[in-house]
Amino acid sequence: MVKNTSMRWRLPLVCLLWEVAMIVLFGVFVRFDPEADAHWKEEQHQKNLTSDIENDFYFRYPSFQDVHVMIFVGFGFLMTFLQRYGFGAVGFNFLLAAFGIQWAILMQGWFHSFENGKILIGVENLINADFCVGSVCIAFGAILGKTSPVQLLILTLFQVTLFAVNEYILISLLHVKDAGGSMTIHTFGAYFGLTVTTILYRPNLEQSKDKQGSVYHSDLFAMIGTLYLWLYWPSFNSAISNHGDAQHRAAINTYCSLASCVLTTVAFSSLLQKKGKLDMVHIQNATLAGGVAVGSGAEMMLTPYGSLIVGFLCGIVSTVGFIYFMPFLESKLHIQDTCGIHNLHAMPGLIGGIVGAVTAAAATEEVYGKEGLISAFDFTGDYKDRTPSIQGGFQAAGICVSLAMALAGGTIVGGILKVPFLGDPADENCFADDVYWEVPEDSESSLYHMHDPTPKPAVTS
């Protein structure tokens, strides 16, 4: 089937119109919060602050840097495993993230930091915007190589909106604790992406089967993304935790879970292969599942050995998912999951939500101390009478809400993306950079024929 994939007018029009809209909306609504405003000196006097070092910037910016690298470098390079889609993986991830953080600042601002008709932003808003875009990057993994840049921008617009609504319901209305986003980022983002890719099902995708695999150097580039994500995940899960013990605890729990996850991933990758050889796909992805699964309970008293157990289990679940669940989902349920986000984000996200619910329900004053329990779960104000067991119930409810929002939202957005004039590639042209990118002639030639066993005719002058 021949499709018009030219972006000559469509992509510039969407990018320019939406960026002008961002400029107008930022001009109307967005202002610096007191700690970023030039009136900071007056704020210092009012709050009896003696040093600029007490500005939240100095506490949060190192974590922001780490999270920012994860979104733009980690996720981008993790998806470069496709042998002919490196430009698309990194470039489109860059595009949707750059647009997404602007729209997320507005959407989250209207829900969480809207005062006197203005959205007040500081460094924590930047971190939360990156978190929001993280869910979009996850969904992008499911449809990688099968959509146009215009479709990706439309997906980003709607997913950021739905993310902000879901986050508001969970954090502000249900009062759940989800520091590392097991529910709000991973569960929502993964099941949203899986639903979209199901709606966009391509029955003839086998026509581009030759382009769906990796080559040696593309897997090596993807491993760069893995290492960036793995190294900075403790910052990701602790970035917006309260200063002090909660943030400290979240980093330690994540650190332990990630380390444990690597060993079980390697063990089961070898165990489940006929010749005992390791599969790079498992090492690139399943080794990160421990960071996902410890997200909700990261700042709770999960304990170091509890975190090791979570990572241990997730390494197994994720690896098994890549070997057995992924082929089943595609053949039986028509879920064409390019990057395997079901194994890295969806299942570990659900596990993380359950771990958070159980850990919250099991919390006691003996373990946390009276003040520590109140501080850890913010049992103050309207929530002063909430008990740990009730908190556990609300944590479980948060999983259900995230799933419902993802499935319903993904169905609607998937339907919108099926509009025929958005420039998506034909089945035989999926997973190929040259549909939307100028690919250097020499690189393209060598790459396209790297594993082509067909004899080539002799070149005659």
Side-chain angles (χ1 to χ4, degrees):
M1 179 180 178
V2 178
K3 290 191 175 186
N4 181 8
T5 57
S6 173
M7 292 287 111
R8 178 72 183 275
W9 299 110
R10 284 176 280 200
L11 184 58
L13 182 64
V14 172
C15 287
L16 293 175
L17 282 179
W18 287 8
E19 189 55 40
V20 169
M22 292 299 104
I23 292 170
V24 172
L25 290 171
F26 268 63
V28 173
F29 291 107
V30 180
R31 300 292 183 270
F32 294 122
D33 79 359
E35 295 195 18
D37 193 83
H39 293 86
W40 164 242
K41 292 298 180 183
E42 298 170 17
E43 186 81 7
Q44 279 183 295
H45 296 318
Q46 291 174 5
K47 294 184 176 180
N48 294 319
L49 302 176
T50 58
S51 172
D52 284 337
I53 202 69
E54 295 176 85
N55 190 300
D56 200 42
F57 175 86
Y58 297 100
F59 291 102
R60 300 290 186 193
Y61 192 74
S63 295
F64 163 71
Q65 286 180 303
D66 294 350
V67 173
H68 215 45
V69 168
M70 289 178 71
I71 299 302
F72 286 89
V73 179
F75 279 112
F77 275 89
L78 181 62
M79 292 184 278
T80 59
F81 68 95
L82 291 172
Q83 57 182 301
R84 304 180 190 176
Y85 206 70
F87 286 8
V90 176
F92 291 152
N93 183 81
F94 191 14
L95 173 65
L96 67 84
F99 167 63
I101 57 177
Q102 297 175 73
W103 183 229
I105 285 172
L106 288 165
M107 283 302 306
Q108 292 175 313
W110 283 320
F111 280 116
H112 302 292
S113 57
F114 195 62
E115 297 181 17
N116 301 318
K118 302 298 179 185
I119 297 169
L120 304 181
I121 67 167
V123 68
E124 191 168 337
N125 299 77
L126 308 186
I127 296 172
N128 281 315
D130 275 355
F131 281 172
C132 180
V133 167
S135 78
V136 182
C137 295
I138 291 166
F140 176 40
I143 57 176
L144 182 71
K146 299 175 292 185
T147 48
S148 72
V150 171
Q151 286 178 303
L152 291 175
L153 287 169
I154 293 172
L155 173 107
T156 303
L157 178 72
F158 284 104
Q159 188 175 352
V160 167
T161 304
L162 292 168
F163 177 96
V165 173
N166 183 60
E167 181 187 51
Y168 177 74
I169 294 171
L170 265 65
I171 305 302
S172 299
L173 300 184
L174 299 181
H175 195 62
V176 305
K177 307 299 288 184
D178 193 34
S182 291
M183 294 179 284
T184 54
I185 300 172
H186 301 285
T187 299
F188 172 77
Y191 283 102
F192 181 92
L194 291 169
T195 305
V196 169
T197 196
T198 303
I199 300 298
L200 299 179
Y201 175 69
R202 291 171 174 266
N204 299 314
L205 196 61
E206 286 291 319
Q207 294 179 20
S208 55
K209 187 75 174 177
D210 61 314
K211 297 188 284 290
Q212 292 184 46
S214 63
V215 291
Y216 190 86
H217 72 268
S218 67
D219 269 335
L220 198 57
F221 270 107
M223 195 63 195
I224 294 173
T226 299
L227 291 174
Y228 269 105
L229 291 169
W230 197 90
L231 289 170
Y232 289 140
W233 216 296
S235 294
F236 188 93
N237 283 356
S238 64
I240 59 170
S241 296
N242 292 332
H243 302 319
D245 64 291
Q247 196 167 43
H248 200 164
R249 196 161 50 242
I252 294 172
N253 283 332
T254 308
Y255 182 96
C256 292
S257 183
L258 285 166
S260 175
C261 189
V262 173
L263 273 74
T264 49
T265 297
V266 170
F268 273 76
S269 180
S270 175
L271 181 65
L272 298 177
Q273 300 291 347
K274 289 183 179 179
K275 295 184 178 181
K277 294 183 178 181
L278 299 174
D279 189 327
M280 201 58 169
V281 172
H282 308 156
I283 308 306
Q284 289 162 357
N285 294 277
T287 52
L288 302 171
V292 175
V294 82
S296 289
E299 58 186 12
M300 301 179 193
M301 289 291 284
L302 185 56
T303 72
Y305 81 87
S307 301
L308 291 175
I309 293 172
V310 172
F312 184 96
L313 294 175
C314 280
I316 297 172
V317 170
S318 185
T319 307
V320 169
F322 275 102
I323 295 173
Y324 298 112
F325 297 166
M326 196 169 172
F328 173 82
L329 292 176
E330 181 167 355
S331 61
K332 303 299 182 182
L333 301 182
H334 293 171
I335 300 176
Q336 296 165 326
D337 179 9
T338 306
C339 291
I341 65 169
H342 180 258
N343 313 306
L344 172 53
H345 299 281
M347 291 191 295
L350 289 176
I351 292 171
I354 295 168
V355 168
V358 172
T359 308
T364 63
E365 285 191 13
E366 287 76 20
V367 174
Y368 286 80
K370 185 175 182 179
E371 290 186 15
L373 186 64
I374 293 171
S375 175
F377 296 100
D378 196 20
F379 289 158
T380 57
D382 294 339
Y383 308 100
K384 64 181 180 181
D385 296 324
R386 184 175 286 191
T387 63
S389 58
I390 293 175
Q391 180 67 31
F394 277 98
Q395 294 284 142
I399 304 172
C400 299
V401 172
S402 290
L403 278 172
M405 288 288 291
L407 297 175
T411 301
I412 295 170
V413 175
I416 293 171
L417 297 184
K418 292 189 77 170
V419 173
F421 53 79
L422 298 180
D424 60 307
D427 291 339
E428 65 271 17
N429 293 327
C430 288
F431 315 112
D433 272 333
D434 62 344
V435 177
Y436 302 112
W437 296 85
E438 290 287 349
V439 179
E441 195 72 29
D442 55 342
S443 300
E444 180 183 12
S445 177
S446 62
L447 183 58
Y448 271 53
H449 302 296
M450 187 171 291
H451 290 295
D452 187 353
T454 306
K456 304 297 185 296
V459 179
T460 57
S461 55

